[in-house]
């Protein structure tokens, strides 16, 4: 066990059991999986992406590239989970990934031996011979070897929430700068949200041994949090990573229940926050970065800052005996902390020769050997055992099981880049610092490149107060708490040229220093080319660790400075976010709202089978016992309507109420035909075009009285037509006195169709005379009452071709109306009919619908040419006059029958001339709708054919290569029953 | 240098001693026969085919940043020819045929992989529309299969078949569609063009045009000085309108943001490309293991190469509705590319409209798949001053004549295509 006897912010009274690769271990409350594994001396935890190199724990944060595990199992399996951020809970199960057959012996590690051949971008130069082998052999093998963990076995059983939050100031990060910023703004009365990615507040203060106001950092954090909690205007959000700066809002992920085995009932696993702040202080801190040297990826090599965290925060010694390899003072302090906690530190190797006496004195005092101007050139051991050091006087071997590496700190500038701001290079700290920030964002503390604790505390307070003042709050710059003003002294150092063995820049993707040099040699010298060519920075840490070193090496090999070479850009998200969090509740049946029709419950009672029609659920058909197929039920329903009567809920049609003296003029401009001449109490069928002359929608509009009108649209275009009308009114013709509202939801509408429709209707209206043949002729409308006083509108219109009425009542009465109609029609043996029968009858009648109104057909294509008024202007008229619209080769609407009446037509077939080869050039059009007509006893269809009505009587082929049919068809007029319209006028 | 097994072994054994730049770092000459503005896939493919098919080697490709840094480097890497309309289908089918031999043509492994695409069907009306499309594909020799629900289920058992708001009822598959390594396509064409003597000039921004007294375009102003050219060809993707503005030329395009996303890498999960038919979501899995997915446009005009949360949410609602087992995978990176959306959703390849100028633009969000055929046809157009038969429908005057190619039937509203 490497658990230290005392110390750390873990609760030793609360042991937690967990497993890794099926072996049972124990940790404590407050541990991460990584700290608990280290405490149990588990050093080998993963395998790299390309070479399958053995890897250990490198960091203590979300930037971890190596220690990725599959957490949980089955449908809750989370691949690529960073052990360094996974909070330990009792019963946690984790497994290593990307290895076969086992973590300790991975057959794919042979890739590493072939690394001279499998260098950067080798893929592009090989696997091309023979041609077929890429897809058959190489690619499948590469795909199997690549990838990391395995996705879950089944649908995610947990649920996810979304929430919005608004504030004056969003503070990102709760280290010294973040706490001071939140305090300063909070004290001034600003509404503050403090978001912390970790499960504890404090940032670096959790990991460092220092003093603030003569007390421990922990005491300072406790006091600060207590004060913040006392403000009602401050909201503290722990376990909440702000992952992206978007336009006017920030995306944040709260891990609500990731620290328990299974979320409590009704508790979401995670919550996606959309935070809309007025100002932002980014206090995201800084990140320790690696040094590129031979064997820097061996388990046992760890960032010095991470080692310090494990020692101080988790009470774990990552190694029994360590060495240090660094270019800065912070790594020395980490070593001192480890030594003071009882973990032996054998030597500190520093590339610098001018380390301050204060720092070297600390080593002397502890008896730690120092090798200044030294470099680690290689490491050896299955896990780390041997470190070879170039001391300046020769090579020396250190026998250690831990190496604390630190290449200095890079400010976490990521969120500053999300609006396209480029970080700028600061030579004094050899790091990128924030450039142009998103609007309203300032950066505080170590994220600015100012690393000392005293500076971070002061800077945070200043920036928080400034943000509050900027918003009109009265806030003086606070007096910062007394703290150490320690130096970092980091010196640019990236790459040990004398390295022996593979020296990694990007750990997970196995990008080596040599790969960077090769990319440059092959001309990929732009930073973005380097990234894309070598995959540097494309792993799960998105280059947080390796990008700067990669850039520095590229600068060196190309003889440029770092600013000349480029910069590193970061895109959202800061840290990877579970996909389900973005979807929230919108999955499964709740993916989109479900709109039942008003008569839904009644249709269910009648055995209706439902089908999705856009957002609606509509009854498709009503099967009877003894009807083996859908077709049997539909045939019965159609014949019942044609011979007697049926009813159907048509409430899904879009309904728009228009009023005002100018509605007639308005409609004249949006419909191709004239409406201003329509008399009150009359209905007219209309067609409207888009600006480009193509048909947008069709439907009927009724003039209820002089200045009240009711429009219907197709179900599919209800929203679009309304949007169009509003646009026309508000943008094009605001001078017209027209008001409109969508009333699709307000009216239930039931159609009654069939020779006996009037009898049924008269059974539900209060005044039967109002709907008599004389009082209500075809295309007439009446406002009346039904069912004893319920306000109703009756339209005498027909989609089926039979005598037909549509009765509209306020939606809450819709179900009652349907029941009343069914009851009133019992004597006539009325049937409910569904969408299927409706579709059959409209094809029989030759009415166009969705497949014909597909956004590609003109009024003339659809046979509406004569409807178009020549006496007025309307939307689409001019562009519908263009050359292409007059092209005689333009396919137009025809009716289709199979020559052999026993054959079945299917929509989607293309028309070919007899004997023509099936080629694009021979294509004569397509069959848009087809059905079996029970009325005629054979299959019929509608389609678009070159030549259109001139081809009536000709024979073509309906070629359906997709389903292997090719049948002769006869072209006819697109109306199969009652072309004179006798029935509907009956 | 030709890439071969021998070459790999030698360089492996010698520590890459015998490698050379994939293409020369050229500085521009004062004059060329053809100057192509925009070093993305289309520009480089155009240069390659100008040299290879038409013997025109005196060509420069001028790139503001690094080659492939625009939409060629920001897409979801799919190629397919599952189009409906006769103006489109033969063109895209030729592109797929070029994809099929691109590695051997270029001696560069662009990792074209014909993993197939399945457009899912959720209603009878959708099946009818896809049947029409599938038959159009067969007429153009592109190959297509209509799958029933069980066939889809066998192929992709992980889709939500039992609990969906919009149940899956089948799919239209093009087995020959697939994905490629997008960056490698750029590099392969760059290297290929360079071998023919084409100058690839990076970090050189075109700032304006040289015109003669008649108004004809005679060259370009660049950050590295003026460059004369007999013919100036634009392959500028989302930057087209910004450059044509300098010619007082307004084009029927709008620039819109389209986002794309990639998840952390996981072991093989998804066989090919899948598109959801009841929402805005499509997905494939890269060779590295990341799920690569996208959806609808953000919906507003913008040159900012970033997207926003509402569309991310919309896309992933679709993703979770379709594949609820991906919920615990994590989003690794998102990016926004600028698409030049046209009034009919189809591209423009044309001569003019000014003398000396050649246009290749308006790829909407479908430019990647077109890369080889776009280069092939545009090179023909530039070299012969006549439209290539396969791209003859893509002329600019179609908006005047009405011969638009509106696959989606959305009309002249660019953000709906």
């Amino acid at each position: 066990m490497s658990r230290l006897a005392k110390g750390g912010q873990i609760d030793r009274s609360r042991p937690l059991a967990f497993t890794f690769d099926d072996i049972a271990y124990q940790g404590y409350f407050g541990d991460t999986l990584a700290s608990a594994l280290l405490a149990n001396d588990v050093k080998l935890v993963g395998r790299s992406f390309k070479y399958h190199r053995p890897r250990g724990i490198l960091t203590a944060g979300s930037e971890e590239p190596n220690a990725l595990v599959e957490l949980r199992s089955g449908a809750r399996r989370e691949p690529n989970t960073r052990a360094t951020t996974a909070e330990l809970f009792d019963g946690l199960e984790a497994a290593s990934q990307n290895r076969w057959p086992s973590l300790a012996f991975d057959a794919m590690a042979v890739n590493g031996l072939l690394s001279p051949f499998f260098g950067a971008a080798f893929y592009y130069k090989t696997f091309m011979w023979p041609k077929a082998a890429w897809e058959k052999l190489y690619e499948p093998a590469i795909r199997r070897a690549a990838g990391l963990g395995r996705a879950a076995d089944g649908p995610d059983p947990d649920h996810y929430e979304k929430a919005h939050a608004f504030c004056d100031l969003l503070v990102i990060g709760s280290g010294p700068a973040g706490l001071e910023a939140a305090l300063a703004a909070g004290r001034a009365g600003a509404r503050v949200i403090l978001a912390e990615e970790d499960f504890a507040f404090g940032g670096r203060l959790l990991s460092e041994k220092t003093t603030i106001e003569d007390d421990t950092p922990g005491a300072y954090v406790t006091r600060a949090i207590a004060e913040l909690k006392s403000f009602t205007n401050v909201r503290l959000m722990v376990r909440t990573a702000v992952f992206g700066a978007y336009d006017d809002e920030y995306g944040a992920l709260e891990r609500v229940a990731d620290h328990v085995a299974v979320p409590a009932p009704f508790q979401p696993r995670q919550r996606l926050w959309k935070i809309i702040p007025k100002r932002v202080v980014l206090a995201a801190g800084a990140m320790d970065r690696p040094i590129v040297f031979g064997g820097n990826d061996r388990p046992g090599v760890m960032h010095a800052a991470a080692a310090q965290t494990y020692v101080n925060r988790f009470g774990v010694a990552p190694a029994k005996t360590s060495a240090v390899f660094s270019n800065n003072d912070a790594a020395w302090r980490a070593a001192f902390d480890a030594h003071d906690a009882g973990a032996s530190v054998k030597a500190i190797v520093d590339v610098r020769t001018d380390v301050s006496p204060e720092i070297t004195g600390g080593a002397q005092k502890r008896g730690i050997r120092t090798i200044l101007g030294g470099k680690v050139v290689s490491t050896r051991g299955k896990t780390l055992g041997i470190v070879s050091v170039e001391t300046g006087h020769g090579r020396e071997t250190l026998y250690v099981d831990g190496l604390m590496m630190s290449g200095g700190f890079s400010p976490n500038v990521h969120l500053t880049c999300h609006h396209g701001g480029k970080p700028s290079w600061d030579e004094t700290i050899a790091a990128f610092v924030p450039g142009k920030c998103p609007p309203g964002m300032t950066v505080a503390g170590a994220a600015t490149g100012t690393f000392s604790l005293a500076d971070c505390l002061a800077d945070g307070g200043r920036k928080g107060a400034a943000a509050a003042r900027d918003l009109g709050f009265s806030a003086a710059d606070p007096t910062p708490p007394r703290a150490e003003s320690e130096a970092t002294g980091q010196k640019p150092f990236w790459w040990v040229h004398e390295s022996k063995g593979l020296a990694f820049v990007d750990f997970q993707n196995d990008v080596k220093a040599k790969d960077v040099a090769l990319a440059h040699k092959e001309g990929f010298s732009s930073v973005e080319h380097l990234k894309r060519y070598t995959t540097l920075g494309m792993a799960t840490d998105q280059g947080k660790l390796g990008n700067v070193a990669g850039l520095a090496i590229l600068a060196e090999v190309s003889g440029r400075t770092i600013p000349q070479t480029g910069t590193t850009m970061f895109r959202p998200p800061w840290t990877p976010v579970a996909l389900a969090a973005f979807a929230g509740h919108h999955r499964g049946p709740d993916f989109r709202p479900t709109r039942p029709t008003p008569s839904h419950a009644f249709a269910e009672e009648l055995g209706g089978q439902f089908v999705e029609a856009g957002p609606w659920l509509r009854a498709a058909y009503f099967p009877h016992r003894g009807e083996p197929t859908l077709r049997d039920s539909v045939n019965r329903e159609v014949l019942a309507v044609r011979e007697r009567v049926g009813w159907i809920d048509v409430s899904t049609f879009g309904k728009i109420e228009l009023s005002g003296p100018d509605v007639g003029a308005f409609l004249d401009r949006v419909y191709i035909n004239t409406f201003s001449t329509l008399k009150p109490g009359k209905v007219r069928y209309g067609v409207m075009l888009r600006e480009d002359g193509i048909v947008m929608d069709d439907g009927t509009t009724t003039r209820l009285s002089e200045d009240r009108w009711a429009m219907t649209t197709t179900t599919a275009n209800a929203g679009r037509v309304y949007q169009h009308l509003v646009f026309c009114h508000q943008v094009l013709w605001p001078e017209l006195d027209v008001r409109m509202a969508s009333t699709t939801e307000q009216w239930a509408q039931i159609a009654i169709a069939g020779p006996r429709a009037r009898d049924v209707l008269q059974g539900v209206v209060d005044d039967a005379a109002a709907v008599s043949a004389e009082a209500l002729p075809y295309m007439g409308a009446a406002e009346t009452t039904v069912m004893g006083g319920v306000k109703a509108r009756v339209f005498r219109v027909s989609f089926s071709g039979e005598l037909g009425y549509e009765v509209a009542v306020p939606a809450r009465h819709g179900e009652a109306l349907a029941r009343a109609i069914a009851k009133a029609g019992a004597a006539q043996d009325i049937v409910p009919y569904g969408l299927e029968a409706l579709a059959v009858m409209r094809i029989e009648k030759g009415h166009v619908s969705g497949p014909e109104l597909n956004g590609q057909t003109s009024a003339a294509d659809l046979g509406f040419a004569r409807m178009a008024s020549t006496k007025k202007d309307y939307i689409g008229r001019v562009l519908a006059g263009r050359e292409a619209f007059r092209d005689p080769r333009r396919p137009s609407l025809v009716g289709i029958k199979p020559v052999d009446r026993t054959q079945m037509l299917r929509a989607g077939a293309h028309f070919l001339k007899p004997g023509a080869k099936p080629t694009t050039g021979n294509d004569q059009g397509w069959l848009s709708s087809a059905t079996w007509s029970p009325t005629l006893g054979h299959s019929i269809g509608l389609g678009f054919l070159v030549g259109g009505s001139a081809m009536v009587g000709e024979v073509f082929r309906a070629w359906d290569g997709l389903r292997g049919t090719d049948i002769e068809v006869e072209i006819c007029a697109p109306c199969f029953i009652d072309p004179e319209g006798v029935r509907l006028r009956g | 240098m030709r890439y071969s097994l021998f070459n790999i072994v030698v360089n492996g054994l010698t520590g890459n001693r015998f490698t050379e730049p994939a293409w020369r770092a050229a500085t521009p000459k004062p004059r060329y026969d053809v100057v192509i503005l925009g070093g993305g896939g289309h520009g480089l493919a155009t240069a390659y085919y100008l040299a290879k098919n038409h013997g025109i080697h005196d060509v420069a490709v001028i790139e503001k940043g690094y080659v492939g840094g625009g939409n060629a480097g920001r897409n979801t890497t799919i190629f397919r020819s599952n189009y409906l309309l006769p103006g489109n289908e033969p063109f895209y089918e030729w592109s797929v045929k070029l994809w099929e031999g691109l590695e051997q043509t270029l001696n560069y492994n662009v990792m074209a992989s014909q993993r197939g695409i399945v457009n899912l069907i959720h209603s009878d009306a959708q099946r009818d529309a896809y049947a029409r499309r599938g038959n159009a594909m067969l007429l153009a020799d592109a190959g297509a299969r209509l799958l029933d629900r069980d066939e889809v289920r066998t192929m992709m058992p992980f889709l939500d078949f039992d609990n969906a708001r919009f149940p899956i009822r089948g799919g239209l598959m093009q087995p020959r569609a697939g994905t490629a390594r997008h960056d490698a396509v750029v590099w392969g064409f760059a290297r290929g063009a360079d071998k023919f003597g084409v100058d690839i000039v990076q970090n050189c921004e075109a700032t304006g045009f040289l015109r003669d007294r008649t108004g004809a375009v005679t060259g370009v102003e660049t950050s590295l000085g003026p460059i004369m050219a007999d013919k100036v060809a634009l392959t500028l993707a989302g930057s087209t309108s910004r450059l044509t503005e300098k010619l007082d030329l307004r084009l029927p395009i709008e620039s819109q943001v389209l986002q794309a996303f990639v998840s952390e890498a996981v072991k093989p999960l998804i066989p090919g490309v899948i598109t959801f038919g009841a929402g805005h979501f499509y997905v494939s899995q890269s060779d590295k293991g990341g799920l690569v997915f996208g959806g609808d446009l953000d919906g507003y005009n913008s040159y900012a190469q970033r997207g926003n949360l509402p569309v991310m949410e919309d896309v992933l609602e679709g993703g979770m509705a379709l594949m609820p087992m991906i919920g615990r995978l994590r989003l690794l990176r998102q990016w926004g590319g600028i698409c030049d959306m046209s009034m009919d959703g189809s591209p423009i390849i044309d001569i003019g409209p000014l003398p000396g100028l050649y246009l290749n633009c308006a790829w909407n969000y479908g430019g990647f798949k077109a890369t080889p055929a776009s280069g092939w046809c545009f090179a023909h157009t530039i070299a012969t001053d006549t439209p290539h038969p396969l791209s003859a429908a893509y002329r600019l005057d179609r908006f005047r004549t009405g011969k638009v190619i509106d696959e989606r039937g959305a009309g002249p509203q660019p953000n709906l295509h």
Side-chain angles (χ1 to χ4, degrees), chain A residues 887-968:
Chain A
D887 185 346
R889 276 198 49 84
R890 202 176 164 97
S892 57
L893 189 71
V894 290
I896 308 291
K897 298 176 204 173
V899 171
D900 172 355
R901 298 284 199 259
T902 64
Q903 286 183 312
M904 296 296 284
L905 298 172
R906 261 196 291 212
H910 284 241
F911 299 130
L912 296 173
K913 285 185 176 156
K917 284 210 173 90
T919 64
T920 306
N922 288 335
D923 194 357
Q924 299 295 309
W926 71 98
L927 190 55
S928 54
S929 297
T931 187
W932 172 261
S933 166
T935 315
L936 300 174
H938 61 80
S939 186
I940 57 170
L942 299 174
F944 292 85
L945 181 69
V946 173
S949 54
M951 296 293 151
V952 168
E954 302 276 324
V955 170
F956 281 77
R957 287 151 56 207
W959 180 85
D960 188 349
L962 207 53
R963 290 169 287 202
T965 61
D966 186 354
I967 63 179
E968 287 197 316

Side-chain angles (χ1 to χ4, degrees), chain A residues 80-82 98 124 131 135 139 143 156 246-247 521-522 529 577 612 615 690 856 882 884 910, chain B residues 16 22 67 100 109 113-114 132 165 169 181 264-265 267 287 306 308 328 331 334 399 401 409:
Chain A
N80 310 339
T81 303
R82 291 133 190 82
N98 200 32
Y124 306 126
K131 182 175 186 300
E135 282 182 25
E139 194 190 30
R143 287 175 84 90
D156 190 344
Y246 299 94
D247 287 303
K521 202 174 169 193
E522 296 195 335
H529 276 162
V577 179
E612 301 76 26
R690 296 188 312 226
Q856 296 167 334
R882 286 177 291 173
H910 284 241
Chain B
N16 293 306
V67 298
E100 284 174 330
N109 190 353
S113 171
Q114 292 177 288
R132 178 188 168 200
R165 172 70 182 82
R169 302 189 195 280
R181 174 81 181 89
E264 291 181 350
K267 292 293 176 193
D287 283 347
R306 63 171 182 273
N308 275 298
R328 299 174 99 88
L331 177 73
Q334 68 174 120
F399 299 102
T401 62

Side-chain angles (χ1 to χ4, degrees), chain A residues 491-804:
Chain A
K491 174 194 167 185
F493 184 82
W494 314 103
W495 176 25
V496 177
H497 293 67
E498 305 86 336
S499 288
K500 284 269 186 302
L502 305 183
F504 290 91
V505 183
D506 185 308
F507 288 82
Q508 190 181 112
N509 276 354
D510 291 320
V511 179
K512 312 177 296 291
K514 273 184 183 164
D515 295 323
V516 178
L518 175 65
H520 169 65
K521 202 174 169 193
E522 296 195 335
F524 295 87
S525 307
S526 145
V527 176
E528 284 293 330
H529 276 162
L530 173 71
K531 171 178 129 186
R532 290 154 185 271
Y533 199 59
T534 64
T535 72
L536 168 65
M538 295 178 90
T540 56
D541 70 319
Q542 289 288 287
K544 288 191 184 94
L545 293 173
N547 268 8
V548 177
L551 183 61
I553 295 170
L554 178 65
E556 186 185 320
V557 297
S558 61
R560 295 175 291 185
T561 65
I562 286 175
Q564 283 168 345
T565 308
T567 179
T568 63
M569 283 290 288
F570 297 97
R571 295 185 188 287
W574 145 254
T575 186
V577 179
L579 301 182
F582 293 100
H585 294 297
H586 295 278
R587 47 179 286 206
D590 297 329
F591 165 55
R592 289 292 177 259
T594 301
R595 299 172 80 176
T597 57
S599 66
H600 188 87
F602 184 38
E604 255 181 341
E605 282 171 29
L606 295 170
Q609 300 296 303
F610 295 91
V611 69
E612 301 76 26
W616 295 94
L617 267 190
R618 298 187 70 177
Y621 63 106
F622 294 84
H624 281 187
R625 220 173 277 162
E627 290 173 347
T629 67
L630 175 149
R631 195 45 60 199
D632 295 308
S633 307
V634 174
N635 290 348
R636 173 184 50 75
E637 290 171 18
V638 169
L639 293 173
V641 172
R642 297 255 180 254
E643 290 161 13
R644 303 190 307 275
V645 64
W647 71 269
I648 182 170
D649 192 329
V650 293
S651 309
T652 63
F653 289 163
K655 302 178 211 77
I656 300 165
E657 195 92 355
L658 300 110
S659 64
D662 294 336
V663 172
F666 179 80
L667 293 177
D668 282 350
R669 298 184 194 184
V670 295
Y671 277 124
I672 65 171
N673 45 336
T674 305
F675 275 77
S676 52
T677 54
L678 192 65
K679 298 275 181 291
K682 290 291 180 190
V683 187
R684 188 165 284 173
Y685 175 73
V687 169
M688 57 178 80
L689 307 184
R690 296 188 312 226
E691 193 72 77
D692 65 348
I694 294 292
V695 173
M696 174 187 281
D697 199 49
D698 70 344
T700 59
T701 290
T702 302
R703 191 168 200 169
L704 295 166
S705 64
E706 190 55 34
D707 61 358
R708 288 190 308 121
W709 303 66
M711 177 186 283
T712 62
T713 76
T714 60
T715 301
N717 287 329
R720 185 151 189 215
V721 170
Y722 185 63
Q723 186 183 22
H724 174 65
L725 297 188
V726 169
F727 172 84
C728 289
H729 183 230
Q730 295 191 3
V731 180
L732 304 182
W733 317 307
E735 72 282 4
L736 293 185
D737 188 354
V738 173
R739 265 143 287 173
M740 67 183 94
S742 166
T743 54
T744 306
E745 299 275 330
Q746 276 64 39
W747 291 99
Q749 201 151 315
I750 310 284
I752 309 169
R756 299 186 199 160
R758 190 177 299 117
D759 299 341
V760 178
L761 177 65
Q762 287 180 327
V764 293
V765 294
D766 297 335
D767 174 10
V771 297
S772 67
E774 299 71 36
L776 192 62
Y778 179 57
M779 297 307 260
E783 290 186 279
T784 180
T785 58
V786 296
M787 299 184 290
V790 174
K791 173 172 84 169
R793 292 170 178 177
V794 179
F795 309 96
R796 186 169 165 193
V797 293
S798 172
F799 198 47
S800 59
E802 301 299 327
L803 169 63

Side-chain angles (χ1 to χ4, degrees), chain A residues 299-382:
Chain A
V301 179
M302 181 185 284
H303 278 287
Q308 189 177 27
T309 297
Y310 289 115
V311 168
N312 291 336
R313 178 173 174 184
F314 298 108
V316 175
K320 287 183 178 57
T321 312
S322 294
V324 174
F325 180 31
S326 81
N327 67 347
N328 65 79
D329 296 355
W332 291 60
R333 283 190 289 272
F336 300 162
D337 286 358
H339 177 274
D340 296 349
S344 155
V345 178
K346 201 166 220 173
I348 298 175
V349 181
D350 199 308
V351 297
R352 300 172 298 171
T353 50
D354 55 346
V355 181
S356 76
E358 189 196 333
I359 289 291
T360 51
Q364 260 164 16
K365 190 175 81 187
R366 292 173 175 86
I368 301 171
R369 186 182 159 204
T370 58
I371 304 173
L372 300 187
K375 290 171 196 171
V376 173
V377 293
S378 69
T379 66
R380 279 162 59 195
K382 201 165 180 184

Side-chain angles (χ1 to χ4, degrees), chain A residues 2 112 133 437 696 702 812 898:
Chain A
S2 301
C437 291
M696 174 187 281
T702 302
R812 64 185 181 283

Side-chain angles (χ1 to χ4, degrees), chain A residues 9 86 102 114 155 159 167 181 245 250 275 395 542 666 681 721 744 806 830 897 902 942 966 981:
Chain A
Q9 292 138 54
S102 73
L114 296 173
H159 73 271
C167 60
Y250 286 72
I275 304 177
R395 294 283 158 89
Q542 289 288 287
F666 179 80
V721 170
T744 306
E806 289 180 9
I830 194 170
K897 298 176 204 173
T902 64
L942 299 174
D966 186 354

